Amino acid sequence: MTAIETETFLEYILVEHRWIIVMVALLPISLIWKIWSTFRNYVVFKLNSAPKMHIKKVKEVQSQVKAWLAGDRSTRLCTARPGWQAMSFRQGIYKKTFTNIKVNLVDVLEVDMENMTVRCEPLVTMGQLSRTLEPLGLALAVVPELDQLTVGGLVMGTGVESSSHIYGLFQHFCLQYELVLADGSVVTCSKDENPDLFYAVPWSYGTLGFLTSAVIKVVPAKKYIRLEYRPYNKLSELSHHFIEESLKDKPHEFIEALLFTKNSGVLMTGNMVDKIGDDGKFNPIGKWYAEWFFKQVERHLTNNRTAVEYIPLRDYYHRHTRSFFWELQDIIPFGNHPIFRYLLGWLMPPEVSLLKLTQPEAVTKLYDKAHVIQDMLVPVEHLEKAIDVFHDEFEVYPIWLCPFRVFNHPGQLKIKTNADSQMFVDIGVYGVPKAKGYETVPSTRRIEAFVSKHDGFQMLYADTYTTREEFRAMFDHTLYDKVRDSLPYCKDAFPEIYGKVNRNVRK
Ligand SMILES: Cc1cc2nc3c(=O)[nH]c(=O)nc-3n(C[C@H](O)[C@H](O)[C@H](O)COP(=O)(O)OP(=O)(O)OC[C@H]3O[C@@H](n4cnc5c(N)ncnc54)[C@H](O)[C@@H]3O)c2cc1C
Ligand SMILES: NC(=O)C1=CN([C@@H]2O[C@H](COP(=O)(O)OP(=O)(O)OC[C@H]3O[C@@H](n4cnc5c(N)ncnc54)[C@H](OP(=O)(O)O)[C@@H]3O)[C@@H](O)[C@H]2O)C=CC1
Ligand SMILES: CC(C)=CCC[C@@H](C)[C@H]1CC[C@H]2C3=C(CC[C@]12C)[C@@]1(C)CC[C@H](O)C[C@@H]1CC3
């Protein structure tokens, strides 16, 4: 075999049979990594990272910013968290050229049972938080389901989940932020203290300052979720019931739907309960041998009848983690096979960070060319029309549908109504597009135009292809610009949001 033939063969294996690398290397390394990081974090937690260390750690962030300030300021600033560790799908190319500020703040600082809040440092993950809160009978009002998502990323970006039709996005139940600004000062902000900064922080993607802690509202939790599955074979019917459930005065606590074809899907509504009732079976979907959740949901469609199940709370919160929604089926095609699940299910899923770290160039190109990962947020009344357009442009199934409320607050997410809030739906499209004529940039641009025209927004953990003008039309920059103008050195230190999230300008 010549060198070129060997390279081509290796590329073929890496692209077509990535599961070999995942099974042989990534799953065992993920396990070792998990054991090591749990141990390391535990020691860090016990020895260095106690709440009293917080002030010292914030000072370390300040001194790095002040060192940059004292220099020639020819570079800009971003967090030192490497791109491969982050959940954002877009590549943070700027990490190589910007000055990296280490914000190694990993602790849950305080759970205040009286005021029902938790104070966290930015690298606290959703998995860590749900594990800390569960024994106390508490939960975040909304738990973004992938457990490696961090408080920092969710505050600076956004977070949405199936209770968001009541509580809104992650920003809507955050009560206070503590930030290190570009002049090296520390400020706290809330709706009553520095409100402009408080409302401009969400969706700012680290372009106003470095988050060092956040106070987040928590809610009482119960042991199980009683989940009702309702299959539909007509989009209009599913859409009608989805909207009706979301807008009810006293809605179910959890609502989501999965579409398996343009015209068929399952609507799921759930509530927390303390006891398992006799109207449904107990289903611990988080067990290592359990079938992937979306496959279980699909069976309710095939059976074509309403069903009720009782699911342990944490299993429900992390229901899409073990299969990364349905993304893992492209990487480990037999991952849901019973033999695999019973023998090796406990090793799943591989760490997203390791998948990103070891992703060969050929796979990156393949994802760029023939894979969609996008969440588009549109007012819920446009749901049916949106599905039509998504079908024509992408034809990717399943589709994730999750209703959420946007409150009429100042900031980048401006709603076009005078009411207190407006109901939206998150349309999550993850997979290989089958639509004829699909081309990543033109097809995504047409979807972006549809979303913008219907007063919607694009989630920014993935790439946006909008122009700067289109981006500014989608996200209201009035308050954001005002805050950037008013904060000393802010514009020297950080690019605009668009400069980070658009692939063509991100350097
Ligand atoms: C005492 C202690 C203190 C710690 N302190 C810190 C700290 O200060 N800072 C820090 O960063 N880390 C800390 N950690 C580590 C941290 O908790 C973990 O590294 C990380 O958050 C992973 O948590 P997890 O809940 O996802 O892991 P696990 O609960 O072990 O889950 C393993 C995997 O299985 C899946 N899974 C788990 N439960 C379910 C379910 N019910 N349904 C479906 N899938 C499921 C998920 O995919 C998950 O990735 C600490 C750990 C301990 C034990
Ligand atoms: N269910 C959900 O809601 C889901 C949400 N997501 C998205 O994933 C992203 C979160 O992923 P995660 O890995 O946690 O975060 P990332 O590391 O990807 O960070 C996201 C952004 O937040 C900035 N940021 C993070 N921490 C800080 C901080 N302490 N100070 C200042 N800026 C900070 C980052 O800045 P920098 O570039 O400088 O590092 C980056 O621009 C969000 O965009 C979220 O919307 C993804 C999947 C599901
Ligand atoms: C519920 C919301 C709002 C979003 C869910 C998004 C997820 C489906 C994606 C977020 C990060 C994505 C990554 C991958 C799959 C899809 C996500 C989990 C990969 C695992 C795909 C394979 C690549 O090699 C690595 C990717 C890392 C990020």
Side-chain angles (χ1 to χ4, degrees):
M1 245 187 192
T2 64
I4 295 176
E5 279 169 346
T6 312
E7 204 178 302
T8 316
F9 177 70
L10 271 178
E11 191 169 297
Y12 167 78
I13 293 288
L14 285 173
V15 175
E16 299 294 328
H17 300 287
R18 198 174 172 197
W19 62 268
I20 300 178
I21 309 294
V22 173
M23 297 271 297
V24 174
L26 296 200
L27 284 177
I29 299 172
S30 292
L31 182 68
I32 296 167
W33 171 260
K34 203 162 179 63
I35 295 169
W36 158 248
S37 62
T38 305
F39 172 74
R40 178 190 151 276
N41 285 336
Y42 180 73
V43 174
V44 169
F45 183 61
K46 288 281 170 196
L47 297 182
N48 294 323
S49 307
K52 61 178 184 295
M53 295 296 286
H54 180 72
I55 297 171
K56 183 172 173 271
K57 289 194 281 178
V58 173
K59 285 209 169 102
E60 280 164 20
V61 178
Q62 284 181 278
S63 56
Q64 293 173 70
V65 175
K66 282 179 183 160
W68 168 84
L69 210 52
D72 64 4
R73 286 176 238 146
S74 59
T75 60
R76 292 182 148 173
L77 306 178
C78 65
T79 75
R81 190 173 193 227
W84 61 270
Q85 273 180 18
M87 286 300 283
S88 298
F89 191 62
R90 60 189 156 79
Q91 292 163 357
I93 313 162
Y94 52 83
K95 299 261 173 180
K96 289 194 190 120
T97 50
F98 285 14
T99 297
N100 285 206
I101 303 293
K102 294 191 198 85
V103 191
N104 291 329
L105 296 133
V106 298
D107 289 318
V108 175
L109 295 171
E110 187 193 359
V111 181
D112 181 340
M113 303 287 281
E114 207 170 297
N115 293 310
M116 294 295 274
T117 60
V118 57
R119 184 161 168 251
C120 298
E121 293 184 331
L123 280 181
V124 167
T125 65
M126 287 304 105
Q128 185 185 344
L129 204 46
S130 68
R131 202 150 57 176
T132 308
L133 294 176
E134 194 189 34
L136 303 172
L138 302 172
L140 284 190
V142 173
V143 183
E145 66 296 298
L146 302 172
D147 22 60
Q148 285 110 333
L149 290 163
T150 64
V151 168
L154 292 161
V155 165
M156 291 291 171
T158 194
V160 58
E161 239 298 301
S162 56
S163 51
S164 285
H165 61 292
I166 298 176
Y167 300 106
L169 296 171
F170 207 78
Q171 72 213 55
H172 296 125
F173 53 93
C174 283
L175 304 176
Q176 190 190 66
Y177 307 124
E178 176 191 63
L179 297 140
V180 171
L181 301 178
D183 63 356
S185 63
V186 185
V187 292
T188 52
C189 59
S190 65
K191 69 179 174 49
D192 304 314
E193 183 190 12
N194 295 317
D196 281 355
L197 181 59
F198 176 71
Y199 287 116
V201 160
W203 296 80
S204 68
Y205 287 87
T207 61
L208 295 176
F210 294 102
L211 184 78
T212 47
S213 75
V215 176
I216 313 169
K217 189 173 142 55
V218 293
V219 295
K222 293 182 182 164
K223 275 172 117 175
Y224 307 100
I225 301 286
R226 179 191 180 276
L227 195 65
E228 187 171 308
Y229 303 83
R230 279 147 60 185
Y232 291 97
N233 286 298
K234 237 177 156 188
L235 177 61
S236 54
E237 271 179 37
L238 186 141
S239 164
H240 170 79
H241 289 285
F242 182 89
I243 296 172
E244 186 182 63
E245 290 291 352
S246 316
L247 294 175
K248 269 185 181 164
D249 281 345
K250 283 200 174 155
H252 292 283
E253 289 169 284
F254 301 91
I255 302 178
E256 78 173 327
L258 297 187
L259 278 187
F260 291 93
T261 67
K262 188 178 164 191
N263 273 306
S264 65
V266 179
L267 174 62
M268 287 163 275
T269 52
N271 292 298
M272 286 190 195
V273 292
D274 273 325
K275 285 204 178 95
I276 298 175
D278 46 20
D279 55 344
K281 68 169 180 135
F282 174 59
N283 186 2
I285 56 172
K287 289 272 189 255
W288 82 96
Y289 53 77
E291 212 183 342
W292 285 346
F293 181 64
F294 77 97
K295 284 286 178 196
Q296 299 198 25
V297 178
E298 193 172 21
R299 231 193 2 264
H300 293 289
L301 184 65
T302 325
N303 294 346
N304 203 18
R305 54 171 187 269
T306 299
V308 171
E309 282 179 353
Y310 289 82
I311 299 175
L313 182 69
R314 209 162 169 269
D315 288 24
Y316 176 81
Y317 281 145
H318 299 294
R319 67 201 176 283
H320 292 303
T321 301
R322 281 174 58 236
S323 50
F324 299 148
F325 287 79
W326 27 94
E327 282 287 342
L328 211 51
Q329 63 185 351
D330 292 337
I331 301 172
I332 309 180
F334 46 83
N336 195 42
H337 192 283
I339 299 178
F340 181 86
R341 281 190 272 119
Y342 277 90
L343 289 179
L344 292 172
W346 54 277
L347 275 172
M348 296 283 269
E351 288 284 325
V352 168
S353 51
L354 289 180
L355 281 171
K356 285 179 86 175
L357 184 65
T358 58
Q359 181 167 292
E361 190 53 32
V363 173
T364 307
K365 281 192 190 141
L366 195 73
Y367 270 83
D368 280 351
K369 203 172 152 225
H371 206 100
V372 184
I373 297 180
Q374 287 285 353
D375 279 81
M376 298 289 177
L377 318 176
V378 289
V380 75
E381 63 271 19
H382 301 309
L383 172 58
E384 220 181 309
K385 207 186 321 165
I387 297 300
D388 272 337
V389 179
F390 277 64
H391 181 85
D392 292 345
E393 294 293 350
F394 294 152
E395 203 181 331
V396 170
Y397 295 97
I399 285 181
W400 188 60
L401 299 178
C402 178
F404 68 96
R405 197 173 280 284
V406 178
F407 292 95
N408 210 343
H409 292 168
Q412 285 87 295
L413 229 55
K414 203 96 198 97
I415 52 173
K416 309 260 171 20
T417 156
N418 291 326
D420 284 353
S421 66
Q422 187 181 358
M423 193 62 74
F424 278 66
V425 55
D426 179 335
I427 307 177
V429 185
Y430 327 118
V432 179
K434 294 199 183 63
K436 268 206 195 103
Y438 169 82
E439 275 183 276
T440 306
V441 180
S443 305
T444 311
R445 276 189 58 64
R446 282 194 290 273
I447 291 286
E448 287 168 346
F450 172 86
V451 169
S452 226
K453 188 171 160 215
H454 292 84
D455 301 328
F457 310 99
Q458 176 173 25
M459 266 180 93
L460 299 173
Y461 69 85
D463 280 314
T464 174
Y465 298 95
T466 48
T467 63
R468 183 166 178 272
E469 290 65 40
E470 288 162 354
F471 186 76
R472 283 185 154 254
M474 189 183 275
F475 295 98
D476 190 325
H477 279 54
T478 319
L479 180 71
Y480 175 76
D481 287 344
K482 181 180 158 203
V483 171
R484 270 171 71 86
D485 284 340
S486 70
L487 296 178
Y489 307 109
C490 184
K491 286 174 154 177
D492 297 335
F494 305 110
E496 278 186 16
I497 309 168
Y498 184 71
K500 268 189 163 179
V501 299
N502 183 285
R503 168 176 289 218
N504 298 326
V505 293
R506 199 165 57 215
K507 292 197 184 69

